[in-house]
Amino acid sequence: MKILMILFLLGVQEAAAVIHSLKFLSTASSGVPNLPEFVGVGMVDDVQIGHYDRDTQKAEPTQDWAVKLKEDHPQEWEGRTAFALVHQQELKAGFEGVKQLFNHTEGVHSYQEISGCDWDEETDELNGFIQVGYDGEDFISFDLKTETWIASNQQAVIIKTKLDSDKAGNAEAKTFLTQIFPEMLKVLLNYGRSSLMRTVLPSVSLLQRSSSSPITCHSTGFYPHRAELVWKKDGEELHEGVHKGEILPNHDGTFQMSVDLDLSAVGSENWDRYSCVFQLSGVNKDITTKLDKAEIRSNEGGSLSVIIAVVVAVVVLAAVAVIGFIIYKKRTDKRSPPSVENPEVQEQMVPTA
């Protein structure tokens, strides 16, 4: 998986599974116009819940229910901002160290961290992760099963060697990923359940740029993002001549996606055998749209009549546990989090001369 600096495309989970996720995302950068040197976000089920950046130096909630959580625990929230300030310096130190490894003294560069956990509410299965990327490419990641680090390129090997030798830090990382993160996630789900667990069906349209272009089945306004959109012929899913797009976020917190059908293999007399089917996790009834020429909205012969609003998810929103601090504040009084955010680990990530 590539860790991108700006665009974080939301993946589709199994429609039948009830899987929740907690992600802390952070980006340190240099030479990027109009972007703070450090930006981070906390996300639950791929919904942004809090934001911090170097310019504001404040951890702020971005959901109504997160605002309520902040109001209920104001002192802890203030502590979260203080913690974010420290994390900002730690990430910057790691960033400078990795730039030295690549001999990058100037230009545009970025350093990203994604940490968190997935939790299957039905089976109680957990999966924790820490991934670090540099300039949009994987750099190093934590293997939870072996409590060791995986280097993605030659430059990361020196970092892996140092991190692997820190047995205590890696054991603590395992505890953090398998116990503390899940505790955070469950508390956040309790506060945001009415919003996070809602289901919203989309509007579905058939679009075509010109008579020779593929037919696009576009669905927008659905929630959650655990959804499928497919083309079927006589009730059987098609794969040949079909191009499926990514699930993308809308500005209102809902999602959109599209799937194209190449018409070169579709005879006009067979159109009634084709349909676009939308499936949403938690909803038993599918939305089926028959392939009908009369229902296709086309741009041919004039200016654009349909504008597909794509709101890009900026991943520079925070690896800091913006809201989860409520749970682990007391624990961090004893020791900082055991990932690459840990000052002891960060120090190892800065190569010496």
Side-chain angles (χ1 to χ4, degrees):
M1 183 192 75
K2 300 296 184 183
I3 303 177
L4 306 179
M5 182 184 80
I6 297 297
L7 186 61
F8 181 69
L9 298 178
L10 301 175
V12 182
Q13 301 178 23
E14 290 293 329
V18 182
I19 298 176
H20 301 288
S21 65
L22 175 65
K23 295 187 181 78
F24 304 134
L25 317 167
S26 62
T27 296
S29 62
S30 61
V32 182
N34 303 318
L35 183 68
E37 292 181 356
F38 176 87
V39 187
V41 71
M43 303 183 76
V44 174
D45 289 354
D46 290 314
V47 174
Q48 181 188 340
I49 59 172
H51 172 269
Y52 172 92
D53 64 54
R54 180 182 178 277
D55 293 345
T56 63
Q57 297 193 355
K58 290 184 179 180
E60 294 294 349
T62 54
Q63 299 292 327
D64 291 342
W65 58 267
V67 173
K68 177 64 166 56
L69 195 154
K70 178 182 177 181
E71 292 173 349
D72 291 346
H73 304 275
Q75 292 182 346
E76 288 84 352
W77 199 278
E78 290 177 5
R80 179 63 261 156
T81 294
F83 184 84
L85 286 167
V86 174
H87 175 69
Q88 172 184 308
Q89 297 303 316
E90 294 168 356
L91 202 72
K92 178 177 174 60
F95 183 28
E96 294 301 323
V98 174
K99 283 199 295 184
Q100 290 180 39
L101 286 176
F102 284 89
N103 196 26
H104 290 162
T105 58
E106 57 184 20
V108 176
H109 300 288
S110 64
Y111 181 74
Q112 305 87 28
E113 176 189 302
I114 302 177
S115 59
C117 69
D118 296 323
W119 172 53
D120 189 323
E121 191 171 16
E122 292 183 346
T123 66
D124 204 35
E125 182 179 355
L126 292 167
N127 177 45
F129 48 86
I130 302 172
Q131 299 169 332
V132 178
Y134 179 71
D135 281 355
E137 300 288 338
D138 289 348
F139 183 72
I140 197 169
S141 60
F142 185 63
D143 187 327
L144 184 56
K145 292 182 179 179
T146 62
E147 299 180 38
T148 59
W149 293 82
I150 301 173
S152 298
N153 52 49
Q154 188 61 39
Q155 288 84 353
V157 172
I158 184 174
I159 303 301
K160 166 185 165 55
T161 301
K162 292 181 178 180
L163 292 178
D164 284 349
S165 65
D166 183 10
K167 302 300 183 182
N170 292 333
E172 187 180 10
K174 182 177 181 178
T175 299
F176 198 74
L177 296 177
T178 59
Q179 297 181 26
I180 300 177
F181 273 173
E183 289 177 10
M184 294 180 191
L185 176 56
K186 292 171 185 178
V187 168
L188 294 168
L189 285 172
N190 285 335
Y191 260 86
R193 185 168 294 273
S194 62
S195 173
L196 296 170
M197 300 300 288
R198 75 188 192 280
T199 56
V200 182
L201 293 174
S203 61
V204 181
S205 304
L206 299 179
L207 312 174
Q208 189 178 33
R209 293 184 180 276
S210 68
S211 58
S212 60
S213 301
I215 297 290
T216 297
C217 181
H218 179 70
S219 62
T220 185
F222 61 86
Y223 188 92
H225 72 283
R226 297 185 293 274
E228 275 287 359
L229 187 65
V230 299
W231 278 105
K232 291 186 176 183
K233 179 182 180 180
D234 297 332
E236 296 294 328
E237 182 177 348
L238 291 171
H239 298 284
E240 186 175 353
V242 172
H243 175 73
K244 184 177 295 186
E246 300 282 353
I247 293 183
L248 299 173
N250 291 320
H251 70 282
D252 60 358
T254 62
F255 299 91
Q256 63 171 283
M257 68 185 305
S258 62
V259 58
D260 295 341
L261 174 65
D262 187 352
L263 291 178
S264 61
V266 180
S268 59
E269 71 278 4
N270 295 322
W271 278 41
D272 59 349
R273 301 173 63 185
Y274 293 81
S275 59
C276 176
V277 180
F278 176 87
Q279 302 167 320
L280 183 65
S281 176
V283 178
N284 294 327
K285 187 177 181 180
D286 298 339
I287 298 178
T288 301
T289 305
K290 289 287 186 179
L291 181 54
D292 185 344
K293 287 184 178 181
E295 298 299 323
I296 298 175
R297 303 169 67 180
S298 176
N299 297 320
E300 192 169 43
S303 59
L304 289 176
S305 60
V306 179
I307 299 177
I308 301 176
V310 176
V311 178
V312 175
V314 179
V315 165
V316 281
L317 309 166
V320 220
V322 173
I323 308 202
F325 182 80
I326 292 172
I327 300 174
Y328 70 87
K329 178 176 182 294
K330 293 183 179 180
R331 304 189 187 196
T332 54
D333 289 338
K334 298 180 180 179
R335 184 171 182 180
S336 299
S339 68
V340 288
E341 300 175 31
N342 193 306
E344 297 177 3
V345 175
Q346 280 289 353
E347 183 178 358
Q348 296 181 48
M349 295 190 69
V350 182
T352 58

